[in-house]
Amino acid sequence: MSSGRVLIIGGGPAGIEAARGLADLGVPVTIVESRDRLGGMPIAAHYATLTPSLEDAEQAMARMLAPLLGNPAVELRLGAAVSGFAGAAGDFELSVARNGSQESVRAGAIIVATGFQHFDPGRETQMYGYYEFDDVITLPESEKMLKEHSFVRPSDGRLPERVAFIQCVGSRDRQIGNEFCSKVCCGVASKQAIEIRQQLPEAKVFIFYIDMRMYGYWENRIYWPAQEQYKVNYIRGIVAEVLKKGDRLVIRGEDTTLGRPMEIAVDVVVLSVGMEPSQGTREMARLLGLRQNKYGYIETEGVPLATVLTSVEGVFAAGACTGPADLEDSVSMGGAAALKAAALVRKKALAAGATG
Amino acid sequence: MSSGRVLIIGGGPAGIEAARGLADLGVPVTIVESRDRLGGMPIAAHYATLTPSLEDAEQAMARMLAPLLGNPAVELRLGAAVSGFAGAAGDFELSVARNGSQESVRAGAIIVATGFQHFDPGRETQMYGYYEFDDVITLPESEKMLKEHSFVRPSDGRLPERVAFIQCVGSRDRQIGNEFCSKVCCGVASKQAIEIRQQLPEAKVFIFYIDMRMYGYWENRIYWPAQEQYKVNYIRGIVAEVLKKGDRLVIRGEDTTLGRPMEIAVDVVVLSVGMEPSQGTREMARLLGLRQNKYGYIETEGVPLATVLTSVEGVFAAGACTGPADLEDSVSMGGAAALKAAALVRKKALAAGATG
């Protein structure tokens, strides 16, 4: 017997897009989300705005979620986790744990959209003083202050005069084990730099980078305005260390364009932390038996001419659980995975002689 | 009355993925392709291998195309063009011109996947001597030589000892009018640099760049091996001009990392030309009344939380007709657009009281 239902694990942008698409096709879906709210990282991490649109994140996500709410084709399991897995493509049987109880869900196909977590800059590198100095923060911490329109020096609540972003923290780094580029941090830092300049027009903003990876329209939509309209100072350089000097921080390193040492005093240092697979991504890969790459992300098969296939038939993956992904990647992959899942349950239903 | 058929304009990676997905769902499709062969740019421009997999392009595309051939749900119109358009979402009526005759096709939804063309480096800039010197070639011309395992100096057929790539030709350039980044050229040039070193182990290869945009896994899959295993020389610099000196070319400019003028003699200069909307993209946007951005690409609505919606209901867009896109973008968008198209024709059929 086959099941016409699709189980979606993860209720962020990729999972939401998949669920919307399947519901529109008349395919019943169950979304299992570990948090108490849908929306994924843009909601959980209090994003102020989205990159590159600079649209309010809550509003944008609410608009994306609207078609799911009260939709009879969509079952929501919030604060829940998949805890058991059996069966095969066309007829999976999953256990879903919630509030201490277990529920069984049958599904013909599974879409894993369990996303990423932000790299913890204190975990393996102390060079930037993240756990030492209050005024050294991360990209999501900066984003949250921007959302609240309260971008301050955390140490004393004063408005900063100078803010510096340090790129590639936890990315492009063999010592940490993350050789990949996290793809979105250049764009997000530049977007935040614009917003700091909008909220604090007197502040100076610096971005220390290796390569500014503003691909596609991020170049003309964010990078050019950041430089020309918002006067963000981009400095190609290697930051050796962050020190405390008086009540300020000092960034020491080398300006590789000018070819000389630099020392810049700032009020707030924002570490542009990269992506790593979330705990949920690692757990679901293990539970479902999906091949993972050396970084712990779910390996997709057939790249670049396939993007959502995993090593297990009937299980598809979308978004940042497969590797660094921007919102557009996640949304496109969510749709692409939903299409494959819908086709699979249809094929299995036809093979079983069942009616749609 | 509504039509359950989806018309796909363009038979490259995005269009092929859309057609495969729709056929798997049981939705009949018609593919209209202006060339005489499916496969899009990887086939038409004689790609040696795909980025980042380095898989043989012909083999990879053949595998992708296989499910379409002889598929009763798929009608192919090769060497054809859409020449007329009427109706509305759910019931479009299109004229398809082929071999001097016109055919009428009814479709409930349309997917535009008409792709890009390579920037012509002689069109508006003469600074790199593309039309002047035989040994100045473009990225697709280099790709074609690599495919034939005959990477030579075009002027005399001799094997080159030194090859240089110049990045961002026709991209990130306000004078030319293309402020966007073409996204793939850093990866493709680095991939070709690896292949030149594989085919001509004695050759030295240089890449002159502003920022190496090796996002996501391109960093660890291509950029690191290019540097460490294949000893490709990456030089951050501004190339002022390409001159002829004896039977060699000389690249003059500034090494911005060392902060000094540079002059490097090479045998072949490869211009890493960027993407522009194809003629077909411009024509279809006009014919279907789709909003275009200032570069002529089809504008997608709702970015970043929607990626395949156009300004016209029932018309979706996928791949490089919407802007610079890599193969993964194109394939994911093809799937995402197919899902939306399938949902639309289903909704219209239900509304019309028709049976599936």
Side-chain angles (χ1 to χ4, degrees):
Chain A
M1 214 180 125
S2 74
S3 167
R5 176 172 298 275
V6 175
L7 183 88
I8 299 172
I9 310 176
I16 295 167
E17 181 69 9
R20 284 173 48 150
L22 288 163
D24 277 350
L25 269 184
V27 176
V29 301
T30 299
I31 305 176
V32 176
E33 164 58 50
S34 61
R35 299 190 179 100
D36 292 322
R37 199 177 156 191
L38 291 178
M41 203 57 100
I43 297 300
H46 310 279
Y47 286 7
T49 59
L50 303 182
T51 304
S53 64
L54 272 80
E55 185 183 2
D56 180 277
E58 293 267 353
Q59 285 177 20
M61 292 307 301
R63 199 179 60 238
M64 189 183 198
L65 279 167
L68 291 185
L69 307 176
N71 190 321
V74 179
E75 281 185 0
L76 287 183
R77 297 290 180 268
L78 299 176
V82 173
S83 55
F85 166 71
D91 193 19
F92 292 114
E93 182 148 354
L94 298 116
S95 302
V96 176
R98 190 164 61 137
N99 295 332
S101 69
Q102 294 276 341
E103 174 192 9
S104 176
V105 176
R106 290 185 54 225
I110 298 170
I111 296 173
V112 182
T114 42
F116 73 102
Q117 64 188 26
H118 293 96
F119 175 77
D120 177 350
R123 200 191 59 194
E124 292 186 43
T125 168
Q126 292 296 333
M127 72 198 293
Y128 298 132
Y130 178 65
Y131 283 134
E132 210 173 335
F133 308 130
D134 289 343
D135 294 337
V136 178
I137 62 176
T138 63
L139 213 50
E141 289 166 338
S142 167
E143 184 80 30
K144 187 160 183 272
M145 289 203 294
L146 288 166
K147 182 189 176 82
E148 294 159 354
H149 285 257
S150 67
F151 195 96
V152 297
R153 297 183 1 155
S155 61
D156 58 10
R158 280 167 47 204
L159 298 181
E161 289 166 18
R162 294 157 73 94
V163 179
F165 290 80
I166 300 176
Q167 298 304 110
C168 298
V169 177
S171 307
R172 305 181 65 179
D173 188 328
R174 179 172 283 157
Q175 274 198 293
I176 281 164
N178 294 347
E179 290 96 350
F180 56 82
C181 158
S182 290
K183 194 169 184 180
V184 304
C185 338
C186 284
V188 173
S190 296
K191 181 215 73 147
Q192 289 190 8
I194 289 174
E195 293 171 314
I196 291 170
R197 294 279 297 148
Q198 287 173 336
Q199 294 184 18
L200 302 171
E202 302 302 314
K204 279 199 184 327
V205 182
F206 304 87
I207 298 183
F208 294 96
Y209 71 98
I210 310 174
D211 297 279
M212 278 314 293
R213 296 197 164 162
M214 307 296 283
Y215 46 81
Y217 295 137
W218 289 20
E219 175 82 9
N220 53 295
R221 290 190 68 174
I222 301 180
Y223 192 34
W224 291 45
Q227 292 175 84
E228 297 181 346
Q229 189 179 345
Y230 292 98
K231 313 295 181 198
V232 176
N233 303 287
Y234 286 88
I235 300 174
R236 191 170 201 258
I238 295 161
V239 174
E241 54 185 347
V242 176
L243 305 168
K244 188 94 181 169
K245 215 172 205 175
D247 76 338
R248 275 192 152 172
L249 298 165
V250 169
I251 292 174
R252 287 179 57 180
E254 189 194 341
D255 182 323
T256 54
T257 303
L258 298 177
R260 65 183 184 204
M262 63 173 174
E263 193 170 297
I264 295 183
V266 298
D267 297 294
V268 176
V269 171
V270 183
L271 303 181
S272 290
V273 291
M275 292 186 174
E276 293 193 325
S278 68
Q279 195 55 36
T281 291
R282 293 178 191 274
E283 285 169 10
M284 286 307 104
R286 265 195 303 272
L287 182 72
L288 306 178
L290 309 178
R291 183 155 43 228
Q292 294 169 268
N293 64 23
K294 63 182 278 205
Y295 311 115
Y297 287 110
I298 294 166
E299 187 106 277
T300 49
E301 312 284 321
V303 169
L305 296 185
T307 56
V308 297
L309 305 180
T310 74
S311 56
V312 175
E313 195 203 344
V315 180
F316 307 96
C321 66
T322 69
D326 62 29
L327 286 166
E328 289 169 72
D329 297 335
S330 295
V331 167
S332 290
M333 290 175 82
L339 180 74
K340 300 262 190 224
L344 179 88
V345 298
R346 175 178 175 273
K347 187 179 87 176
K348 295 290 182 182
L350 289 175
T355 52
Chain B
M1 214 179 127
S2 75
S3 167
R5 176 171 297 275
V6 174
L7 183 88
I8 298 172
I9 310 176
I16 295 167
E17 180 68 9
R20 283 173 49 149
L22 288 164
D24 277 350
L25 269 185
V27 176
V29 302
T30 299
I31 304 176
V32 176
E33 165 58 50
S34 61
R35 299 187 178 100
D36 292 323
R37 198 176 155 192
L38 291 178
M41 202 58 99
I43 297 301
H46 310 279
Y47 287 8
T49 58
L50 303 183
T51 304
S53 64
L54 273 79
E55 185 183 1
D56 181 279
E58 292 267 353
Q59 285 176 21
M61 292 306 302
R63 198 178 62 238
M64 190 183 199
L65 279 167
L68 290 185
L69 307 177
N71 190 320
V74 179
E75 281 185 1
L76 287 183
R77 297 289 180 270
L78 299 176
V82 174
S83 56
F85 167 71
D91 192 20
F92 292 114
E93 182 148 353
L94 298 115
S95 303
V96 176
R98 189 164 61 138
N99 296 332
S101 68
Q102 294 277 339
E103 175 191 10
S104 176
V105 176
R106 290 185 55 224
I110 298 170
I111 296 173
V112 182
T114 41
F116 73 101
Q117 64 188 26
H118 293 96
F119 175 77
D120 177 350
R123 200 193 57 191
E124 291 186 43
T125 169
Q126 292 296 335
M127 71 200 291
Y128 299 131
Y130 177 66
Y131 283 133
E132 210 172 336
F133 308 130
D134 289 343
D135 294 337
V136 178
I137 63 176
T138 63
L139 213 51
E141 289 165 339
S142 166
E143 185 80 30
K144 187 160 184 271
M145 289 203 293
L146 288 166
K147 182 189 176 86
E148 293 158 357
H149 286 256
S150 67
F151 195 96
V152 297
R153 296 182 2 154
S155 62
D156 58 11
R158 282 167 46 204
L159 298 181
E161 289 167 18
R162 293 158 73 93
V163 179
F165 290 80
I166 300 175
Q167 299 304 109
C168 298
V169 177
S171 308
R172 304 180 66 179
D173 189 329
R174 179 171 284 156
Q175 275 198 294
I176 281 163
N178 293 348
E179 289 97 351
F180 55 84
C181 157
S182 288
K183 195 169 185 178
V184 304
C185 338
C186 284
V188 174
S190 296
K191 181 215 73 150
Q192 289 190 8
I194 289 173
E195 293 171 315
I196 291 170
R197 293 278 298 145
Q198 288 172 337
Q199 295 185 18
L200 302 171
E202 303 302 316
K204 279 200 184 325
V205 182
F206 304 87
I207 299 183
F208 294 96
Y209 71 99
I210 310 173
D211 297 281
M212 278 315 293
R213 295 198 164 161
M214 307 296 284
Y215 46 81
Y217 295 137
W218 289 20
E219 176 82 9
N220 53 295
R221 290 190 68 174
I222 302 179
Y223 192 33
W224 290 46
Q227 293 176 83
E228 297 181 347
Q229 189 179 345
Y230 293 99
K231 313 294 181 198
V232 175
N233 302 288
Y234 287 87
I235 299 175
R236 192 171 201 257
I238 295 159
V239 174
E241 54 184 347
V242 176
L243 304 169
K244 188 95 182 169
K245 216 172 202 174
D247 76 339
R248 275 191 151 175
L249 298 165
V250 169
I251 292 175
R252 288 180 56 182
E254 189 195 340
D255 182 323
T256 54
T257 303
L258 298 178
R260 65 184 184 204
M262 62 174 176
E263 193 170 297
I264 296 182
V266 297
D267 296 294
V268 176
V269 170
V270 184
L271 303 181
S272 290
V273 291
M275 293 187 174
E276 293 193 325
S278 68
Q279 195 57 34
T281 292
R282 292 177 191 275
E283 285 169 10
M284 286 307 105
R286 264 195 303 271
L287 182 72
L288 306 178
L290 310 177
R291 185 157 40 229
Q292 294 169 268
N293 65 24
K294 63 182 277 203
Y295 311 115
Y297 288 110
I298 294 166
E299 187 107 277
T300 50
E301 312 284 321
V303 169
L305 296 185
T307 57
V308 297
L309 305 180
T310 74
S311 57
V312 175
E313 195 204 344
V315 180
F316 307 97
C321 66
T322 69
D326 62 29
L327 286 166
E328 290 170 71
D329 297 335
S330 295
V331 167
S332 291
M333 290 174 82
L339 179 74
K340 300 262 189 223
L344 179 88
V345 298
R346 174 178 176 273
K347 189 180 86 176
K348 294 290 182 182
L350 289 175
T355 52

